[in-house]
Amino acid sequence: MLNNIGLPGLLLIAVVVLVLFGRGKISSLMGEVGKGITSFKKGVADGTAEIEEEAAEAAKDVTPETEKDQA
């Protein structure tokens, strides 16, 4: 169904949306979408950094458990 919509159809949909919601409402909505994407990217980066930090911490301490207990 959606693969039958061509360029003229998309332009018509864009004009109707612009008329219904207005330019200000659409720009504020796109601003919120941008903030959401930025927040998502930051969360992914923080999660990756946390995982790498845990892996680095585990890699630092290679002393066997029996030698740790004796020290």
Side-chain angles (χ1 to χ4, degrees):
M1 178 177 160
L2 289 178
N3 51 0
N4 293 337
I5 298 175
L7 184 61
L10 290 176
L11 289 175
L12 180 64
I13 291 171
V15 168
V16 169
V17 168
L18 186 60
V19 168
L20 288 177
F21 294 108
R23 195 183 85 197
K25 186 80 168 180
I26 292 174
S27 67
S28 67
L29 180 65
M30 289 298 113
E32 293 298 322
V33 169
K35 287 178 187 176
I37 290 171
T38 303
S39 176
F40 176 76
K41 286 182 179 180
K42 184 178 182 227
V44 169
D46 289 347
T48 304
E50 184 176 324
I51 290 171
E52 288 176 356
E53 182 179 305
E54 289 175 1
E57 184 97 8
K60 285 181 189 175
D61 192 8
V62 294
T63 307
E65 291 293 327
T66 56
E67 290 181 21
K68 285 183 191 177
D69 295 337
Q70 293 175 358

